[in-house]
Amino acid sequence: MAHHRIALNMKGVPYKTIWVDYCDIEPLSLKLDAPPSTTRAGAPLYTLPLIQDPSTGATVVDSFAIAKYLDATYPGGITLVPEGTDAFQTMFIDVLPSLLTQHLLLLHITRIAPSLNPHSEDYFRRAREMHFGNPLAEIAPVSTHEALWKQAFEGFSHVHGWLNANGECKVFFMGHKPSWADVALVSVLAWLRIYNGRESREWKELMTADEGRWARLWGAMEKYVHRDGGEALP
Ligand SMILES: N[C@@H](CCC(=O)N[C@@H](CS)C(=O)NCC(=O)O)C(=O)O
């Protein structure tokens, strides 16, 4: 997912992306003195995204920490985590997997592996097979896809219900200005768009779901989704 890239684009901070294979994340983090962001099976887990800011010398790990660092260091423009909203933003990121991303990950799991470099593909395959205790192809066979889409769409509708509490015409959680929770949602949309393409049934269904809520959010945020190379989304 591309939270940190969307955040950098929203801030208007220039950056250069360096792509790192899964198996190189730990050695790179150790070299840069970057801490693990979490644990897996009791062991420290070094993760991406990680940013290095040459203007301050800071190395920051974990996308939410990166968002807060960007707000503190580059206070102009959009505030990603407005004051007093940390607890809300943290809660939203916590519930997103059970609402949406775990269903979407399962749906795409066999397509993610071959989209990676061979080293990363192997790592991804082994890590997921160990986690689910099944060969990759059997984790979410095609027969489960309809139900997984339904669960994902129910998740989107649930979030739509929360956003409706803001009243009409407000696209974002905080009303008229996007913040971190919107970035998290848009990065899910971007991910779906990259894997399925604009002409796919999945994308078209999503763009018409929930009274056009996700089409409006995408319309407002698509300008922040590009990569530093500037390639267009499929
Ligand atoms: N909470 C972290 C999670 C990041 C995360 O899980 N990153 C994945 C890549 S998308 C990772 O680096 N995984 C390392 C691994 O599986 O070894 C964040 O938001 O930055």
Side-chain angles (χ1 to χ4, degrees):
M1 309 246 172
H3 307 45
H4 60 295
R5 198 169 16 242
I6 298 171
L8 284 159
N9 292 334
M10 286 166 75
K11 282 287 181 189
V13 176
Y15 60 94
K16 182 173 177 332
T17 302
I18 296 172
W19 298 94
V20 180
D21 274 328
Y22 273 111
C23 48
D24 296 329
I25 299 175
E26 180 167 336
L28 176 75
S29 305
L30 292 171
K31 191 171 131 204
L32 299 176
D33 216 7
S37 78
T38 181
T39 56
R40 181 191 280 157
L45 182 68
Y46 295 86
T47 58
L48 298 177
L50 172 162
I51 62 162
Q52 266 201 307
D53 184 346
S55 63
T56 61
T59 300
V60 190
V61 186
D62 185 78
S63 31
F64 190 56
I66 292 173
K68 289 179 59 91
Y69 168 83
L70 292 175
D71 277 344
T73 316
Y74 303 97
I78 298 166
T79 304
L80 298 164
V81 185
E83 203 182 331
T85 71
D86 289 58
F88 159 73
Q89 312 279 358
T90 310
M91 179 203 68
F92 186 67
I93 311 169
D94 269 1
V95 299
L96 212 49
S98 57
L99 275 175
L100 288 177
T101 45
Q102 73 182 22
H103 315 304
L104 296 173
L105 172 73
L106 286 172
L107 263 169
H108 293 81
I109 204 156
T110 51
R111 284 196 277 155
I112 296 172
S115 72
L116 303 169
N117 286 337
H119 278 332
S120 285
E121 172 174 2
D122 190 50
Y123 181 102
F124 179 87
R125 189 177 288 276
R126 274 188 288 116
R128 295 300 173 265
E129 291 184 345
M130 200 183 298
H131 178 77
F132 290 103
N134 255 331
L136 205 63
E138 288 168 28
I139 293 171
V142 176
S143 58
T144 63
H145 285 194
E146 210 54 48
L148 286 167
W149 268 119
K150 191 164 171 284
Q151 281 173 296
F153 272 91
E154 280 166 8
F156 276 114
S157 294
H158 203 87
V159 181
H160 172 56
W162 289 338
L163 284 160
N164 274 346
N166 271 343
E168 277 186 28
C169 304
K170 300 210 179 84
V171 178
F172 306 116
F173 274 99
M174 295 298 140
H176 295 299
K177 285 190 186 157
S179 70
W180 188 245
D182 307 293
V183 174
L185 272 176
V186 171
S187 98
V188 175
L189 298 185
W191 190 81
L192 280 171
R193 171 69 172 264
I194 288 166
Y195 272 96
N196 297 283
R198 73 178 73 215
E199 295 304 333
S200 62
R201 180 184 71 115
E202 290 84 351
W203 183 255
K204 285 181 178 167
E205 268 180 31
L206 185 61
M207 289 297 102
T208 49
D210 297 325
E211 297 160 341
R213 154 84 58 199
W214 313 116
R216 287 198 299 282
L217 179 64
W218 183 251
M221 296 289 280
E222 186 182 5
K223 58 179 179 281
Y224 301 122
V225 174
H226 58 89
R227 292 179 175 163
D228 45 338
E231 333 140 44
L233 290 178

